[in-house]
Each structure stands twice: as structure tokens, then as C-alpha cells.
Amino acid sequence: MAESALLELASCTVRFGGLTAVDDLTLDVAPQELVSLIGPNGAGKTTVFNAIMGVYPLASGGIRLAGRDIAGLAPHRVAKLGVGRTFQNIRLFKGITVLDNLRAAMHQDGDYDLLRAAARSRTWAATESRLEARAMELLAVFGLEARAGELAGGLPYGEQRRLEIVRALATGPRLLLLDEPAAGMNPAETQHLMGLIRSLIERYSLTILLIEHDMKLVMGVSDRVVVLNYGREIAAGTPQEIARDPAVIEAYLGEPVH
Amino acid sequence: MSTPPAWSHYLPRLGLYAGVAAVLLLVNVGLPRLLNAYLLQILVFAACNIILASSLNLVNGVAGQFSIGHAGFMAIGAYMSAWVSVAYGKTWLAPYADQPCGPLVVSAYLMGLMLLGGVAAAVGGLVVGLPSLRLRGDYLAIATLGFGEIIKVVLLNVEAVGGATGLKGVPQYSTLFLVFGAAVVTVAALRNIGNSIHGRALLAIREDETAAEALGIDSAHYKTSAFVIGAFFAGVAGCLYAHYTQFIHPRSFDFMKSIELVLIVVLGGGKLRNVAIAAAAVTFLPEGLRQVKDLLHLQTDPRMVIYAAILIAVMLLRRERVLQAVLPRRKEGASRG
Amino acid sequence: MLQQLVNAISLGAVYALIALGYTMVYGVLRLINFAHGEVFMVGAFVGLAALSVFHLPFAAAVLVAMLGAALLGMVIERGAYRPLRNAPRLAALITAIGVSLLLQNIGMLTVGAAPNPYPPAIEPTPIPWLKEHARLVVTEQQLVILAATAAILIGLSLIVSRTKIGKAMRAVSEDRQAAQLMGINTDRVISFTFCLGSAIAGAGGVFYGVYYGTADPLMGFMPGIKAFVAAVLGGIGSIPGAMLGALLMGLVETGVSSVTIPLSSTETLSGSTLRDAVAFTVLILVLLVRPAGLLGRPTREKV
């Protein structure tokens, strides 16, 4: 498993002052696997994402992406190595268009420099039309192509959530970190999202780490589920195993089950 | 798909370039015959303000890095180039004064100086851009203000460039062709940069720096670059300004000048075209107000009162429209106030 | 050396009086009240009018100046800042700069740009005993100003720590929305904070005028900026921080002013001409090295 894992967390610990937000977490995610992180509020799930992205430093432990040590790298470097993410509270570029949100995400594909941009050179023109075509293609996959020219902040909530996923995909990631993608969605939208997430894995050979509170979604899409409480892993296994685990039930209901 | 030959991409533009150059030449020859020196000077100042404001727009409007020390970069460009001209340039160019090729040589020389002044200012932009990596919002604003004032105090104390008496005897090498040409090129280049990978990375940083980083955008690199590019053009404007007025003083580039430029960017609402229009308007306005002053026999110029009143009024009355474009939205959690 | 210290403390005292207003307003509104230096200036002119036109005694003139400044502070808050309470912070900052320019230039139009002589109020004669025995030039005027500053600072501390409105101010600084939910009238608290900070700056204006013997419409700009630097240095939002920062600023400036740097055999660079640049350099260094200031709390953005 360790040989072929795309993402490896080895005894990761993150501390904020005296608070240990993530405590000695070890986790391997295989290519094209979908692993869900669940746990009560404040269990440290989003902190795991931030540690992977390099937003917060590790107090101890290591993180590897496809065998390469990425602990301590700045977020933009981690992103360039193939990690995309969405945010719990949607963080779209609200004041620019949907299309520009995607083109901003595709900036790594740009192969022209500042002078060529200023002079609108031939490379500039070729690259720009390529980026636009790719962005429109991605938008079409998610049914957002009609929105391309609108400001991202003006989209309805569900579409904003979807756009954030598309934007993360536009960076061409190998690993996608989804932070509560179904938050605030109605059951029908959640159902739709579930199908979408599964299809992404196929279509883009993605590996996904998912944080979600909607248990139906988690149980429906995950290959494996890891349960965190107070920053520690209290259970891991297939969705069926997790549903039966007494420690998980205790963490969620707050009292021991006899 | 076969790539079309290079000429098919560039040829349509050559016509445009030739047209612009012809118009500029016409202006260069015609306007001095039509207008008096006072009106010409106002036009030159307007063109300088267009360069300054559109370059500040890249920093404030596009990248969302609030800078109120832009006049400091103009000062660097102006002083650097003016000092070269006063100390060496006049002697170098003396032999060409009466030759038919003279104007061409002078123009080529000034273009070199524009580059020099721009690069010197860009170095200053790098120095200011680095702190911008750690500072946000109002703290960054105060730091840039501090930078502008430091430049002023240093220039006031350097005797080699005139110190507190200012630098006199700068040759008048700026022509209308060069000044307006620079304004056109600046606006075009900045618009093109805005509509590129580079510009969109800056917009993304303005909108949400954390999200931009998560998409692989190196915010440190881009923020610094915005300061460097902005400063470069401000330096060019400084060079043109110095070589038109023939006299520069550290107080010409003080906090008031920076605020004037911020006012222009805010009035322009972040749209480059509107910024250019606002730059012209803000240059002409005080000249009109000067007439008011004479009419009312006022001791001091009322224009700053009116500036200030406009600034406040714009913020209070038009803030939705103006600020959407210029200022980053407040973010949840980032501020409580 | 001791003499320098006395001068530094006198300068620091004036900075402290201005810095407190910055810090308190920042505390409740997260706004750099750029017009604060101009409130200080207006305070100085109100005091000037009270002293030389109405021939009021010194203490009364200080009180009148404090009242005038407080009123101005309240008007500025109501007119310019309150409408922008929920706008981006930079909108309020630009407006504050606008108010600052407006007051400066209205001053220029009404009293002119030239410095106006300020009556000394208390004769600045050195105290003979100190001059003879310690070779210190300390004037009765300096002592009165220092004593008055100390009294104001103590009074302020008491208001903030002991009174109900002081408690409300601290609550609003901590979390405005929560304070509002707890039934605190935040508008009133913010208004009060502006009045209090402005009044203190107004007193500072009179002291400054009396001490330096002159007042002009632009006098607020540099002391205002330096007091702001002091507030940032101490940790903006922190009242003891503002006092500490102001004292340090006074020390740094007095220190730099007394230095002369030889440039060549004929030229020297006097520290006093570089004084203003030093203030800004300190500011930028503090912002870079410890943005939270000496006594401030660092903040972390939630991702």
C-alpha cells in the first residue's frame, strides 16, 4: 500500500499554541481512491486539508505526494504539484467572471511572459484561445457554460459550490481535496453531486479526499472512511465497517453504547 | 491544425500603429501652434497623470494592494533622469543642437532616460513590494505612505540633486510626441497585461489571496511584480515630467500627489479607460479652480478643499459602484470592525 | 544625557495624547482615523483662541479645546464614518484621508498657511534649583504639561477600567457584534470613544502649541503620523501600548536629532533633518518584524 499510495500522511501533528488540532494522524490514500474524513465539528478535518496544502505548518510528522516530500512547501507549490482544493465557506473570486475564475486557475498552463502579454504576441493569442476552449469545455461538463460571462458572486449557491469544484479541477490536479461540497445543498442537489464526484474519478483519474457531514453522501461515494475526533483517528474502514463501529457512534452521540 | 504565418497575426496592427504615430506627429507639430505654453503644459501634465494613474490602477485596482505612496516612484524616475541630464546629458547632446538630426538624437536619448528612470523606480517598487508580502489593507497603505515620505526626506537632504532648493536647469527634452506616445503605450500595455494570465493572477489575489494560493498562484511573486511594473511606469512619467517642467522639487512628489492619484483611480472605478478619463479630468479641474481663486481674491488655492470634498463625496455617495471594482470585499473572519 | 531624556519625555507625552485617540478608535472600529492629527490641530487653534482672544486661564483654555475637539470628533464620526460602517475598511480609510485634507485646507483658507504665534501661557523659565545643581533645563511649563498629561492619562485609565461606558468600550473592542447582541448601544459607545480620543488630542494640541510657541493648519500631519507610529509600535488597540510606544518614539526622535553624521570634510548631515524619515523607518520595521506591536495580540486568519 505504502509503495503505491498517492498521498501519505505519516504521524502528522498540527498545534495552535496549546491546542493540538491534529494529533499523530497517519493516512495513506491510493491512486483513484475516494477517502472521506468525517467527525464532529472541531475534530480537525479542515486542519488536515490546510496541513496538506501547507497553509499550517506541521509540528511533527511528514506528508508525501506520489513519494515526494511536500511538508513545509508553500500552498502554491503544493498546488502546482497537483493538489486542488475547495473551501468549506465558498471562496470563489466573486468579483470576476466565471470564465476568469477558471482561467485564473489555469495560469500554470500559460507559456508566455509579461512582454509577450503586453504586446499581444502570437503566443499570447494562441495560449489564450486554448485556455478559453479548455475552460468552456470544463464548464460544459458541469452544466455551467451558460454562466461563463457572469460574475461568480452572482451565481446561485449550488452553482457556486459546483464552480468551486470546477475551478479546482482547472488546475489539473491529481489529488482533489473537497471540503464539505454538499453543505447547504438540498437532497436533490446532493444526489446529483454524488454522481458527479464518482464520475470525476473516472474521467480525470482523480484521487479524492472528502470532508462531509452528509452521511448519505459519504456512505454512498467513499471507498474508505476515516473518523477523527479531537484531532485523533478513532476509526477507519469501509463505509459498512464505520457505520457499525461503537467508537464512532460514541463520538457522534456523546455517550458510550452498551 | 497548421499555424498561420506570423505576418497574419501582426499585419493588421501595423496599420493601427502607423495611424497612431501619424496622429501623434500631427499633434507634435500642430498643437504648439494652436495653444499657448500654459495650455500645452496642462496637456502634458494630463498625459503624465494618465500614465501614473493607470500604473497605480494595476497595483490598487487590479492587484488590490492599497498603495498611497505612488508619487515616490515618480520622484525616483524624475530625479534619476533629471540628474543624468543635468550632470552629463546636456554636454553629450550639445554637439547635436544645431544639426538636422538633432531632434531625433534628443528623442532617442530621452527614451533611454525613460527606460533608466523606469528601471530605477522599478527597483524602488521591488523594495516596497517586499513588505507588501507581509502587510495587508490599511497597514500596507501606511507603509507605502511611509515609503513615499522617506523618499521625499532623503531627496530633501541630498545636495547633489539640489536638496531643499530643488533641481533646476533640467533641459526640456520631452516632446508632445513622446509624452502622448508614452501615455498611449502605457495604457495599451497595461490593458493587455490585465487581459492575460498575469492580470488574472493579480485579480485572483485581490479577490481572495488564500484561494489564489490554493490554485498554484504564487501571490508573493505576483504582488511584488505588480509593484515593480506599476513603479516602472511611474518612473517613466517622472522622467517625462522632469524634462518638461525643467524644475523639480521633492515636494512636487509628496503625499498630496499620491492622494491625487488614488483619487483618480477611485473615480475611475478600476476600469482602465475610466481611469484615463478621470486622470485628464482631475488635471483640468484644479486649473479651472485656479480661475475661481483669482475671481474670489482668495489668498490660498481652494482646490485642495474641493479635492478633499470630492474624495469624501465619492466614497459616501458612489461607494457601491466604485468600491466593487477598486477595493477587495471585506472577508468574513478577517475583520470584525 | 539626562537633558535629552527630559526632552524625550516631553515630546513623548504629546505623542501619547494623540496616540491614545488612534488606538481607541482602532480598537472599536478597526479604522485608522487619519483625520485625528487634524483634530489635534483644531484643538490647538481652539486653545489659541481661548488664550489670546478670550484671555482665559490656561486650565480653562485646555478644557475649552478638549470640548471643541470632542465635538469635532463626534461630527466627523457621524458625518463621514458612520455611513461607511459596513463598507470595506479601505473605503473608510480613504474617507478619513479626505476628512484630513479637508480640515487642513479649510484651516489654510481661514487662518492662512503661515504659523500663528502661540502665547506661552506659563513662562518657560528654567527652574533655578535644577539648573544650578543638576545642570538641567526644566521649565515650570514643562512640568505643568507633564503633570497635566499624567492627570489625563490617569483619568482615561479610570474611565476605561472603572466606568460602565469604559467597560462597554472594551467589550466593543473585543467583538462589536457580540457586544451589540449583549444589548450594548454600539453607536453610542463608538461616538463616545471618538469624543474621548478627540478631547485628549485637543489637550495635546494646546500643550504642543504652548510648548513650541506656534500653530499652523498643517501642524497635525507629522505629529499625527508619528503618534500613529507610536500606537502601532505599542500595539494598536492597546492603551498602555500607545503610552509606551509614544515614549519610545520620543526617545528615538530626540536621540536621532542629537546625532550629526559627517559626510565629508566639509559636509555634515544633521540628524534633525532626518527625524521624519526615521519615524517612518521605525514604522515600516515594526510592521515587518512585529505587526502586532510590542503589547498587541497577533491575529490569524481563519482558512
Side-chain angles (χ1 to χ4, degrees), chain C residues 29 92 97 182 228 252 296 303:
Chain C
L29 268 188
I97 292 172
M182 292 294 138
F228 173 75
V252 169
V303 179

Side-chain angles (χ1 to χ4, degrees), chain B residues 66 134-136 138-139 142 145-146 149 157 159 256 259 300 304-305 308 315 319 323 330 335-337, chain C residues 30 34 83-84 87 89 91 95 97-98 101-102 105 109 174 176 228 236 267 273 280 283 287-288 301:
Chain B
F66 195 65
R134 296 198 50 172
L135 301 174
R136 279 169 201 222
D138 33 17
Y139 279 109
I142 296 297
L145 182 160
E149 291 293 309
N157 282 290
E159 291 304 323
M256 293 298 162
I259 288 301
T300 38
M304 285 314 295
V305 177
M315 295 323 275
R319 63 173 184 272
L323 297 174
R330 56 173 43 217
S335 73
R336 294 169 294 179
Chain C
R30 301 285 180 273
F34 224 89
L84 292 171
R89 280 162 71 184
T95 309
I97 292 172
L101 291 180
L102 191 67
N105 288 287
L109 282 181
E174 204 61 42
R176 199 169 83 210
F228 173 75
I236 197 151
E267 272 184 295
T273 56
F280 288 110
L283 173 71
L287 289 178
L288 289 181
E301 194 196 357

